[in-house]
Amino acid sequence: MKSRVATRFFIASPWIYHGARMALALMFVMAGVFKLIDPKDFARVLSHYDAIPEPLLPLIAIGLPMLELVAGVGLMFDVKGSLAVISGLLAAFVLALGYGIVTDTQVDCGCFGSIEPDFMRGLKGAFYRDIFLVMVSSYLYAVRWRRMKKEAGGNHAVENIHEKEK
C-alpha cells in the first residue's frame, strides 16, 4: 500500500509537473525559433509532404513556427489555452508524420528546421518522439484534472490514504 501511495505522490509531484511542463514548452520554443531562422528551408520541407497548397507555404512556414513559439512561451508561464494549442499541434504533427511514414515520403521531419541534428531527421524517430510528447501532454492534463477535482472537493482519496496509514 505504501508503494502505491509513494507512486501517486511521485506522479503528482509539483516538481515533476513543472519539469514536464517546462521541457515541453522549451521544445516548442526551440522548434519555433529554429524554424524561424530559415523559413525558406522549412517551406521546402513542408512542400515535400504535398499536403499544403503552394500559395499557402510561406504563410504556414512563418505562421506555424510563430504559433509554436507563442504556445511554448505560454506554457512556460502556464497561460490558459497554451497546453491545448500544443496538444493540437502535436496531434497534427503525429498525423503528418504518420502520413509521411505510410506514404514512404523521403523527407526530413523539419521539426527543428535546418539546425536539426542528423539523428533526429527521420520521420519514424520524430513520430515516436511526438508520441512521447503526446504522453507528456496527457500527463499534464491528468495532473490539472486531478487538481481541479481536488479543489472542487471531489477527491478525498489522499485524505483517506493518510487515515488508513494511521
Side-chain angles (χ1 to χ4, degrees), residues 43-66:
R44 181 189 52 76
V45 170
L46 288 174
S47 71
H48 291 335
Y49 282 94
D50 290 329
I52 300 169
E54 192 75 27
L56 294 179
L57 280 175
L59 179 67
I60 292 174
I62 293 172
L64 181 61
M66 287 297 294

Side-chain angles (χ1 to χ4, degrees), residues 15-120:
W15 290 98
I16 294 172
Y17 172 80
H18 292 298
R21 194 183 86 221
M22 287 300 175
L24 186 60
L26 282 172
M27 293 235 359
F28 271 80
V29 168
M30 288 183 347
V33 167
F34 290 156
K35 287 178 212 166
L36 286 172
I37 289 171
D38 191 358
K40 287 182 182 178
D41 181 61
F42 183 52
R44 181 189 52 76
V45 170
L46 288 174
S47 71
H48 291 335
Y49 282 94
D50 290 329
I52 300 169
E54 192 75 27
L56 294 179
L57 280 175
L59 179 67
I60 292 174
I62 293 172
L64 181 61
M66 287 297 294
L67 183 59
E68 289 175 321
L69 179 61
V70 169
V73 170
L75 190 59
M76 281 182 181
F77 294 101
D78 215 4
V79 174
K80 187 175 184 170
S82 56
L83 181 58
V85 171
I86 285 178
S87 298
L89 288 171
L90 283 171
F93 297 159
V94 166
L95 289 173
L97 292 168
Y99 172 78
I101 291 167
V102 168
T103 60
D104 198 30
T105 303
Q106 299 300 315
V107 64
D108 292 339
C109 164
C111 301
F112 291 93
S114 59
I115 297 174
E116 189 167 27
D118 288 337
F119 72 91
M120 291 177 65

